[in-house]
Amino acid sequence: MSETTLTALTWLIPAGPLLAFFLILLFLKRNHTASFITAWTGIGVALVFSWIVAGHMLGIYWQDYQNKTDVLEAHPAVIESSIAWLPIGDYYADAPHMLAGEAEAVGHVSTAVPQYNGQWLSMGVVVDPLNTLMLIMVPFTVLMIFIYSVGYHNYGQPLGTKLGTPNHGKEEPLFGRFFAMMSLFAAGMLILVVADNLLLFFIGWEIMGFCSYSLIGFWYARTYDDPNKIPPRYASIKAFMTTRVADVVMLLGIVYYYRVFGTLNFSQTMNGEALLRAAESPAVGLVGLAIITLLLFTGTDGKSAQWPLHVWLPDAMEGPTPVSAVIHAAAMVSAGIFLLLRIFPLIAVSIHSNPTVGIIIGGIGAFTALMAATMALTQSDVKGVLAFSTISQLGFMVAALGVGGFIAATFHLLTHAFFKALLFMGSGSIIHGMEHGAEHVHDHHTDPQNMFNMGGLRQKMPITFITFVIGGFALAGFPFITAGFWSKDEIFVEAFAAGTEGNFMGWVVFITLVLAAFMTAFYTMRQIALTFLGEPRTPLAEHAHESNGFITLPLILLSIPAIAAGFVGIPSNFLGTEYKSVFVNHFHDFAGAIYYEPLAVLLEAGLVSKGITTPDWSWVPISASLIVALGGLFLGWLVYGRQPLKAGEPDPLLRTLGEPLYNFLLNRWYWDSLYDRVLIRPTVFVSEVVVPQIMDKGIIDGLLHLTVRITFAIGGAMAAFERAVFGDGIDWLKDRFLDLAREFRTFQSGKIQEYALLSTVLAWIFAAFILIINFVL
């Protein structure tokens, strides 16, 4: 296939879901059949285009492997295309200081096309080994979620009448709106994946932020009697505002990024030469690069729900289950990790030059992984366990990047997407079956998502059970046959290697993640046992049944990569064999090709501690993987599976941990309560008391009232002055003139003799006055 065709297909990858969004929203949302078929078509076209482009990339890699060449390492951006989007400067015609319109106005008609002499901000697409992996995973997973969503929303059943709340057993009345927003969500993620620059990346990033807000609050009218449960509309606000805090900081990082490199293009900035110039620049230096790294990392901290901005993700479960699946697996949280992978050379330079950066990134990731794993131990909501599991697994990836484990983080991002989508959709199938039981027994008070109300679903829902066990074992890292084992072991290997090389954070990450992995295996078996094993503990579970084909087919298809995706990443020196003598780690070679040469240049310059290499073989990491996975699963079975709980029995962990610690974990370490006291309540107090009562009514209204009083006083004084001067004063002067006029009127008698006598008297008086003056002088 020609390069022109491949480039056109790359541009069109996000177009299918984006067009589906507009078609459904504007024309088709009242036709439910047309809505989901349009959404399927949009993501299906994106899947075909993505896999064609990805197949081309894999073909180049395979040729390299067969011919023992390094074409992909030398030119990792095989497909790259951009357009000039935003000019920075002025347009000039043929006169250097005269615009075309001004030239015509003075009689000089220019026939030249105005030429742009400034700089352009470009927008484009790129396909390289890193986003090729995402193009394989994202559209496939989203298509499975779209198929699943049709069954989840009870397509074909009687139409529900309640807007903004679940219509149990009835077709969702906002069916078209749901698929429109899900299509836009998919388009946002695909825009982000193929973006060749940080600005277009951020646009896709924000599209997903808006869609997550809309879809988490999809059931906007839903309320709960339990005051401790947050309604969907508030959960959506919480997610939106929490991630906005991080995105503002990230935007500052993008601005600084552009200021330093003069471009936002990944290929032009994430290479050895550009980073070397920035590191040696007096105006930037290694400190400037570290600041950029931390600013951009803050975006990941919010998007991928890492401490301290992790609090939004558990409450995001208030959206429909397909929304949870797309947020936790195919998009949204994966975007945060993908950002770190995109700027990994920058992270590597910052970690090497400033260990504090590594401590922040690796420390936050490791702490989040362990913290969220402890929270998942005590959760009763079948989706809630998976929510905390996602936070924990994202912590694994962030921690791996904190110790330089680019390949390990990339590998776990890919495998996690498959088995976590499978688990969330499996939990939705469980809830769907429980809701059917609720409809059958007319019980709408028992919580269908509470695992302690389940039990015995293994026989009621066999397909869901088998696929859920596959996903759960992949999450737990069941040895050798699940994808989660190979990707999680890769993280252990990277952390252990960093520790043995003298990096203290390597040991911290390794020990912390081993503990988190053990807890992961334990709570996974706890979830499986509480849900599927034993006897039904409520009538809802007793009357549950297997979900329809729209739901079970995607579960079966996602089970395949949940197992098989791990085999492409078996270490080349696995079990201590000679490098590539038995095992070939194709994933390592393909994914690493994107940054092999940049890191080699930076390594030679002394700006990074290592390049894209395979750590030396050690039995310690794989032994840890085996022990924590099998040990955690076995302990979970001993506690919950060997003698499954009966109806009404308390959680065995309550007795083991004690009520204070159990409640501490159940209430999420009280982070929400802490934020409520430290951040939310003061903000509400300021907005409801300080601003309206003190500032508005007290200060602003007081100043306005004082101004009014002063104005009235000045006006009164001016009125009094006007009355005294221009009113009474003028009237008094007028009266005096009238009095004078009346007096002078008496002199006007009309008799000539009197006038002559008066004139003579006045003349003598005047003459006497003159004589006196002369005599005195």
Side-chain angles (χ1 to χ4, degrees):
M1 189 171 292
S2 69
E3 182 178 347
T4 302
T5 303
L6 290 170
T7 301
L9 292 180
T10 304
W11 278 101
L12 291 173
I13 285 173
L18 192 60
L19 181 60
F21 162 72
F22 285 111
L23 289 176
I24 296 172
L25 193 66
L26 297 177
F27 306 110
L28 305 175
K29 64 181 179 182
R30 298 187 185 280
N31 188 323
H32 293 183
T33 303
S35 294
F36 83 76
I37 290 178
T38 302
W40 283 13
T41 303
I43 193 62
V45 170
L47 174 66
V48 172
F49 291 171
S50 297
W51 281 16
I52 290 174
V53 173
H56 176 72
M57 290 291 298
L58 294 173
I60 295 175
Y61 164 76
W62 190 249
Q63 288 180 356
D64 272 356
Y65 175 72
Q66 294 289 335
N67 301 331
K68 295 181 170 43
T69 56
D70 299 321
V71 174
L72 198 58
E73 292 179 0
H75 303 286
V78 175
I79 300 172
E80 200 166 12
S81 173
S82 63
I83 59 173
W85 176 63
L86 183 67
I88 305 171
D90 297 322
Y91 281 99
Y92 297 99
D94 54 340
H97 300 293
M98 188 179 296
L99 297 179
E102 296 173 342
E104 294 174 0
V106 298
H108 176 74
V109 179
S110 172
T111 59
V113 177
Q115 298 297 315
Y116 176 61
N117 299 333
Q119 189 178 13
W120 288 90
L121 190 63
S122 63
M123 289 287 191
V125 296
V126 66
V127 178
D128 52 36
L130 178 59
N131 66 355
T132 294
L133 299 170
M134 299 296 285
L135 289 175
I136 293 172
M137 178 272 290
V138 171
F140 172 73
T141 308
V142 173
L143 178 59
M144 295 299 102
I145 295 170
F146 276 27
I147 295 173
Y148 173 93
S149 299
V150 175
Y152 181 84
H153 285 304
N154 300 304
Y155 175 74
Q157 299 299 318
L159 184 64
T161 57
K162 300 177 181 178
L163 298 180
T165 59
N167 287 259
H168 302 298
K170 296 182 179 180
E171 186 172 317
E172 172 60 52
L174 299 178
F175 195 91
R177 179 190 293 184
F178 176 84
F179 274 99
M181 295 309 302
M182 288 288 279
S183 296
L184 183 60
F185 208 140
M189 185 61 185
L190 291 172
I191 289 172
L192 179 148
V193 168
V194 299
D196 75 338
N197 66 89
L198 199 49
L199 181 58
L200 185 58
F201 186 101
F202 189 70
I203 291 173
W205 182 282
E206 290 301 301
I207 289 174
M208 287 193 294
F210 166 72
C211 292
S212 66
Y213 165 77
S214 301
L215 289 168
I216 292 170
F218 182 75
W219 285 326
Y220 55 86
R222 190 176 194 178
T223 57
Y224 298 111
D225 296 330
D226 185 356
N228 295 319
K229 293 193 69 173
I230 181 171
R233 63 182 182 277
Y234 293 129
S236 64
I237 295 172
K238 182 178 182 179
F240 189 78
M241 295 304 296
T242 305
T243 53
R244 291 292 73 70
V245 171
D247 290 355
V248 169
V249 180
M250 177 184 172
L251 190 58
L252 294 176
I254 294 174
V255 173
Y256 193 16
Y257 189 103
Y258 183 77
R259 177 67 180 84
V260 169
F261 294 105
T263 178
L264 296 174
N265 185 278
F266 293 121
S267 298
Q268 296 173 14
T269 55
M270 292 298 103
N271 60 71
E273 292 75 14
L275 288 168
L276 190 58
R277 285 195 303 270
E280 294 175 348
S281 169
V284 182
L286 296 171
V287 174
L289 295 180
I291 292 174
I292 296 174
T293 300
L294 293 178
L295 290 174
L296 295 179
F297 171 72
T298 304
T300 293
D301 195 284
K303 208 70 159 184
S304 294
Q306 298 297 284
W307 180 87
L309 300 178
H310 65 283
V311 292
W312 68 271
L313 192 55
D315 294 316
M317 297 302 97
E318 293 302 324
T321 298
V323 176
S324 303
V326 78
I327 288 176
H328 287 253
M332 194 65 177
V333 296
S334 298
I337 305 300
F338 186 65
L339 170 62
L340 298 185
L341 298 175
R342 265 285 178 227
I343 62 169
F344 179 73
L346 175 63
I347 294 175
V349 171
S350 300
I351 290 175
H352 179 73
S353 62
N354 193 336
T356 303
V357 176
I359 292 173
I360 292 174
I361 297 177
I364 287 178
F367 175 74
T368 304
L370 183 62
M371 175 192 67
T374 63
M375 294 177 181
L377 292 174
T378 58
Q379 299 303 310
S380 59
D381 189 293
V382 68
K383 287 170 62 177
V385 175
L386 300 177
F388 289 106
S389 170
T390 298
I391 297 173
S392 180
Q393 295 304 304
L394 293 168
F396 273 76
M397 303 172 208
V398 172
L401 289 167
V403 295
F406 171 77
I407 299 297
T410 306
F411 194 21
H412 199 54
L413 174 65
L414 190 71
T415 61
H416 175 263
F418 290 126
F419 63 70
K420 187 52 63 72
L422 173 60
L423 286 170
F424 265 107
M425 293 159 71
S427 69
S429 178
I430 294 167
I431 297 168
H432 206 265
M434 290 286 289
E435 288 175 347
H436 179 271
E439 293 291 329
H440 189 273
V441 299
H442 305 290
D443 180 2
H444 298 292
H445 298 287
T446 303
D447 186 359
Q449 297 186 198
N450 192 321
M451 295 186 296
F452 290 92
N453 295 330
M454 300 178 187
L457 296 184
R458 176 173 59 88
Q459 298 175 345
K460 307 289 183 179
M461 309 177 71
I463 298 177
T464 301
F465 168 66
I466 295 172
T467 55
F468 196 91
V469 168
I470 292 173
F473 275 30
L475 171 63
F478 190 83
F480 305 119
I481 62 172
T482 63
F485 168 78
W486 296 109
S487 59
K488 200 174 294 185
D489 180 67
E490 190 82 7
I491 294 176
F492 289 164
V493 169
E494 290 285 357
F496 181 79
T500 56
E501 292 169 2
N503 185 347
F504 173 73
M505 276 307 301
W507 291 118
V508 173
V509 168
F510 179 74
I511 294 171
T512 305
L513 294 189
V514 165
L515 293 174
F518 178 80
M519 294 181 189
T520 301
F522 177 82
Y523 68 65
T524 298
M525 180 53 74
R526 173 181 181 266
Q527 185 177 32
I528 292 172
L530 287 175
T531 304
F532 294 102
L533 303 185
E535 298 298 325
R537 289 186 286 274
T538 60
L540 277 68
E542 179 66 39
H543 293 89
H545 72 85
E546 186 60 270
S547 301
N548 57 63
F550 284 113
I551 293 178
T552 55
L553 177 61
L555 297 180
I556 295 170
L557 294 178
L558 280 169
S559 299
I560 299 172
I563 295 176
F567 297 135
V568 298
I570 299 176
S572 297
N573 54 1
F574 184 59
L575 300 178
T577 58
E578 186 179 352
Y579 183 73
K580 290 189 176 182
S581 61
V582 178
F583 304 99
V584 178
N585 191 341
H586 290 293
F587 185 91
H588 180 285
D589 294 343
F590 180 74
I594 183 174
Y595 293 137
Y596 182 85
E597 287 203 356
L599 291 180
V601 171
L602 295 170
L603 181 63
E604 185 178 355
L607 292 180
V608 297
S609 56
K610 63 178 181 178
I612 301 294
T613 58
T614 299
D616 295 333
W617 169 259
S618 173
W619 285 97
V620 175
I622 192 171
S623 300
S625 296
L626 293 170
I627 292 171
V628 299
L630 296 177
L633 288 170
F634 180 68
L635 182 61
W637 179 81
L638 281 179
V639 176
Y640 292 96
R642 186 169 57 121
Q643 293 182 343
L645 293 185
K646 306 295 183 183
E649 288 186 357
D651 188 347
L653 278 183
L654 178 61
R655 181 176 63 255
T656 303
L657 298 177
E659 187 172 350
L661 180 57
Y662 187 89
N663 289 332
F664 177 74
L665 301 180
L666 183 63
N667 288 282
R668 312 175 185 181
W669 288 33
Y670 294 106
W671 285 115
D672 290 272
S673 300
L674 176 64
Y675 289 175
D676 182 63
R677 291 178 180 272
V678 176
L679 299 175
I680 306 302
R681 291 185 186 179
T683 302
V684 172
F685 177 78
V686 169
S687 63
E688 293 184 354
V689 178
V690 175
V691 173
Q693 300 296 330
I694 299 176
M695 294 188 65
D696 191 2
K697 293 184 179 180
I699 299 175
I700 297 176
D701 285 358
L703 289 174
L704 291 175
H705 293 162
L706 178 61
T707 303
V708 169
R709 292 190 186 98
I710 292 173
T711 303
F712 268 103
I714 294 173
M718 294 296 293
F721 176 79
E722 180 183 4
R723 286 194 300 271
V725 176
F726 298 102
D728 297 341
I730 296 298
D731 288 342
W732 179 85
L733 187 61
K734 176 259 299 179
D735 292 339
R736 301 292 73 77
F737 271 103
L738 290 176
D739 292 342
L740 186 61
R742 281 193 293 271
E743 293 296 329
F744 275 97
R745 189 185 306 166
T746 59
F747 294 108
Q748 303 294 324
S749 62
K751 296 178 180 181
I752 296 176
Q753 296 86 342
E754 292 180 0
Y755 293 159
L757 178 60
L758 180 61
S759 298
T760 303
V761 172
L762 290 175
W764 279 105
I765 292 173
F766 184 68
F769 181 72
I770 294 174
L771 291 173
I772 291 170
I773 291 175
N774 288 334
F775 177 76
V776 173
L777 296 176

